[in-house]
Amino acid sequence: MKKMDKEGDWMNWRRLLPLLLALFLSFGSLPVTANPSVEPKPAEKKMIAFVIDDFGNNMQGTEEILSMPVSLTIAVMPFLPSTKKDAELAHQKGHDVILHMPMEPMKGKRSWLGPGAITADLSDEEIRSRVEKAIDDVPHAIGMNNHMGSKITADERIMRIIMKVVKERGLIYLDSKTTDKSVASKVAAEMGVPFAENLYFLDDIYTVPHITKQMEKICQRIGNHPICIAIGHVGPPGKKTASVLRQYIPRIQKEAEFVTISKLIQQTAH
């Protein structure tokens, strides 16, 4: 009888084993995240690139912008009194340096462009020559964006010439987006040029309330999007832009990393 009892007990256990195993697996799956050998997937790191235009002419706000405690992208105009000085200093401080290439706008005076500008009446050869000379004049330039240029960036013939030089030099192109008719993104994509596009102008109106309003828009965007690019300026709004930007750094850093334009393009390309 005892032998039969033991065999009966064993048969009962065999029937219970699948149920016990299922219970064990269901409970065992709950604390998986607490297992030190299994790390949760990190949240996607948000990035913001601030590009500051119009360096090269000893403009107001130059020192304040270059001394910012975050990574920036410094756009330097060619052939001006402090072109080389500003580019060298920006590079020393770890910022990206890009050529701020003067290009003809739909409206405005040519005198606003500065020397070596790209205008629609130039031959293909002269456009190429001017772009090459401008790149050579800005030390440490890793890319280019347009200064003004609403007329040129909408011209496919001219943008193909510019992008060809950009590609040959291994540079990136940032469309300042001064017109909705820009073909820069299309041409860059076709030619395989690393590309990015501005989303906000910080200081198109030279007042602290406006710059602050733009910064609020940027903060709202980075709350919902992984990347943001914004352009500010030295010059008339320079000190105001620098002041507002510095005030917003701690707030922005809670949600996003300040990066150079080259890092943003590199990270988003993967």
Side-chain angles (χ1 to χ4, degrees):
M1 286 294 291
K2 288 185 178 178
K3 184 177 180 182
M4 290 297 292
D5 288 344
K6 287 180 180 178
E7 286 180 353
D9 289 342
W10 170 239
M11 292 298 292
N12 288 334
W13 273 108
R14 285 186 65 181
R15 292 190 191 99
L16 288 171
L17 274 175
L19 178 60
L20 292 170
L21 182 59
L23 286 169
F24 174 80
L25 289 174
S26 65
F27 283 114
S29 65
L30 295 177
V32 131
T33 53
N35 187 336
S37 64
V38 180
E39 294 184 3
K41 186 178 178 181
E44 183 179 23
K45 184 65 178 178
K46 296 180 180 182
M47 295 180 291
I48 184 162
F50 280 97
V51 181
I52 309 298
D53 286 352
D54 293 350
F55 281 84
N57 204 26
N58 293 309
M59 302 294 269
Q60 292 180 40
T62 293
E63 184 179 343
E64 289 86 348
I65 290 291
L66 289 179
S67 64
M68 287 286 168
V70 292
S71 295
L72 300 173
T73 299
I74 304 301
V76 185
M77 295 182 70
F79 315 118
L80 292 177
S82 66
T83 293
K84 289 179 169 53
K85 174 187 169 186
D86 290 352
E88 289 287 357
L89 190 55
H91 178 70
Q92 289 171 20
K93 290 180 175 291
H95 303 305
D96 264 358
V97 176
I98 61 174
L99 163 65
H100 193 38
M101 187 74 210
M103 300 183 191
E104 184 179 358
M106 291 299 294
K107 297 178 181 179
K109 298 178 182 178
R110 284 201 178 190
S111 59
W112 296 345
L113 287 170
I118 302 300
T119 53
D121 57 353
L122 298 176
S123 68
D124 292 8
E125 294 75 17
E126 182 62 19
I127 292 167
R128 166 178 272 277
S129 175
R130 290 194 179 194
V131 173
E132 289 178 334
K133 287 175 182 176
I135 292 170
D136 291 338
D137 197 61
V138 178
H140 310 294
I142 55 88
M144 174 195 302
N145 74 335
N146 50 290
H147 170 64
M148 303 174 72
S150 54
K151 186 173 186 177
I152 300 303
T153 56
D155 188 313
E156 199 162 321
R157 172 188 74 92
I158 298 175
M159 288 310 296
R160 286 190 178 280
I161 300 167
I162 293 171
M163 289 293 185
K164 191 169 190 297
V165 178
V166 170
K167 184 173 183 178
E168 289 170 357
R169 294 294 189 101
L171 305 179
I172 64 177
Y173 190 88
L174 169 67
D175 187 0
S176 299
K177 204 66 176 172
T178 55
T179 174
D180 290 336
K181 296 178 181 178
S182 173
V183 297
S185 62
K186 174 193 172 189
V187 175
E190 289 175 2
M191 298 181 71
V193 173
F195 177 84
E197 188 173 276
N198 176 46
L199 294 171
Y200 298 96
F201 282 104
L202 278 177
D203 46 18
D204 45 328
I205 298 173
Y206 304 164
T207 67
V208 169
H210 178 75
I211 298 167
T212 302
K213 183 179 80 172
Q214 294 300 92
M215 289 296 293
E216 286 295 326
K217 288 181 182 178
I218 290 166
C219 288
Q220 186 175 6
R221 178 179 173 83
I222 62 177
N224 302 306
H225 297 82
I227 65 167
C228 184
I229 300 170
I231 291 179
H233 299 79
V234 289
K239 289 181 182 291
K240 295 171 185 176
T241 298
S243 175
V244 174
L245 176 56
R246 186 175 284 273
Q247 289 173 26
Y248 272 81
I249 287 174
R251 177 174 165 186
I252 291 172
Q253 283 179 324
K254 290 178 181 177
E255 291 213 47
E257 177 187 2
F258 283 81
V259 296
T260 60
I261 197 70
S262 62
K263 182 173 180 180
L264 185 144
I265 289 175
Q266 181 183 27
Q267 293 294 319
T268 54
H270 295 141

